[in-house]
Amino acid sequence: MKMADVNEEKNALLAQLSEEVVNCHSCPLSLTRNKVVFGEGNPYAPLVFVGEGPGQNEDATGRPFVGRAGALLDECMREHGITRNHVYICNVLKCRACIVENTRIRNRPPQLEELEACRDWLHRQLTIIKPLVIVCLGGPAANSLIHKDFKMLMERGKWFDSSPYCRYIAAALHPAYILRQHGEAFDKLRQSLIDDIGAARLKVIQAKREAPMELF
Ligand code: URA
């Protein structure tokens, strides 16, 4: 199959899948969401970022990483000349997980049943995209895609080559976590995200050298 045909097929399959996800009612998050956040970017990209799940801005717009965490991610990608056109970005959860606390709605970590309910969507999405490299942003993505006992402090930046979805996969700190730090700690962790994105860029180059593109 020619590359142009492969790309057209990917687009069609992703559009079809997105249609299904938008109508998903597999867990209670569908009752409180405003918009499903399927994912977006370049579906032919060799590099995919997988985050945790939509926050307030993403839930309002239906787009991934459009709030402060997204701005930090964009900034760190830009350090390597990478823009959203070069990558695909999605999340483990497609709907916002939140709780009401003193009349305020705030994000909360995803629960196991919610991750389970969403698992097949991510599986199908990544199977269609078939990137060379995946970077998990934060613990929930690393637990879902690398291994269930992933420990960010010990395993961040380590490359795994056993993923069914790509040639190489690693995890980086979630930009929202970095934003909660101050002063030197913030600078240090921001730099760690820049470094991890740089390492992912080099992994893409390595993977392209190692295997003919038609294998992906
Ligand atoms: N945090 C995530 O994990 N994903 C988003 O899309 C936004 C914030």
Side-chain angles (χ1 to χ4, degrees):
M1 206 191 259
K2 283 195 203 131
M3 196 45 92
D5 296 335
V6 172
N7 288 349
E8 209 160 290
E9 195 185 14
K10 269 191 187 184
N11 263 336
L13 289 171
L14 281 175
Q16 227 171 56
L17 182 63
S18 158
E19 200 57 33
E20 283 185 60
V21 182
V22 163
N23 291 307
C24 176
H25 295 281
S26 304
C27 83
L29 295 184
S30 64
L31 302 173
T32 51
R33 75 179 173 222
N34 285 301
K35 290 211 166 139
V36 167
V37 181
F38 178 68
E40 67 177 31
N42 181 350
Y44 328 120
L47 176 58
V48 168
F49 289 100
V50 181
E52 179 175 320
Q56 183 181 8
N57 296 294
E58 293 77 19
D59 176 63
T61 57
R63 302 183 52 214
F65 281 97
V66 289
R68 285 177 66 226
L72 179 59
L73 178 62
D74 287 342
E75 204 180 291
C76 293
M77 289 197 300
R78 234 180 356 254
E79 293 279 329
H80 298 285
I82 300 173
T83 70
R84 295 237 177 176
N85 294 331
H86 298 121
V87 298
Y88 190 89
I89 303 182
C90 59
N91 285 302
V92 172
L93 279 194
K94 308 303 185 201
C95 297
R96 184 184 186 196
C98 54
I99 46 169
V100 181
E101 237 179 31
N102 302 327
T103 72
R104 285 196 57 195
I105 302 175
R106 74 169 184 82
N107 299 336
R108 60 158 174 79
Q111 288 171 0
L112 228 74
E113 313 81 71
E114 294 155 358
L115 291 166
E116 240 357 275
C118 242
R119 188 177 300 282
D120 195 50
W121 297 134
L122 182 62
H123 163 76
R124 289 170 61 188
Q125 192 169 28
L126 294 175
T127 303
I128 293 169
I129 298 172
K130 277 199 209 156
L132 290 174
V133 172
I134 294 176
V135 174
C136 303
L137 295 171
N143 293 137
S144 289
L145 293 175
I146 302 179
H147 66 85
K148 68 178 178 25
D149 299 317
F150 189 92
K151 296 277 176 298
M152 189 59 78
L153 277 184
M154 291 166 65
E155 297 179 280
R156 188 216 114 223
K158 176 176 169 196
W159 289 98
F160 295 79
D161 59 6
S162 52
S163 168
Y165 303 115
C166 61
R167 178 63 70 86
Y168 296 112
I169 185 164
L173 293 175
H174 195 290
Y177 173 76
I178 299 174
L179 284 170
R180 290 196 290 274
Q181 315 304 312
H182 302 282
E184 270 179 35
F186 172 82
D187 294 342
K188 193 169 149 220
L189 298 191
R190 178 183 176 276
Q191 188 58 48
S192 85
L193 182 55
I194 293 172
D195 293 345
D196 289 344
I197 294 172
R201 192 183 145 267
L202 293 178
K203 268 299 182 207
V204 166
I205 295 170
Q206 178 187 332
K208 279 184 178 169
R209 279 209 194 106
E210 283 168 356
M213 278 311 281
E214 58 267 28
L215 289 182
F216 293 96

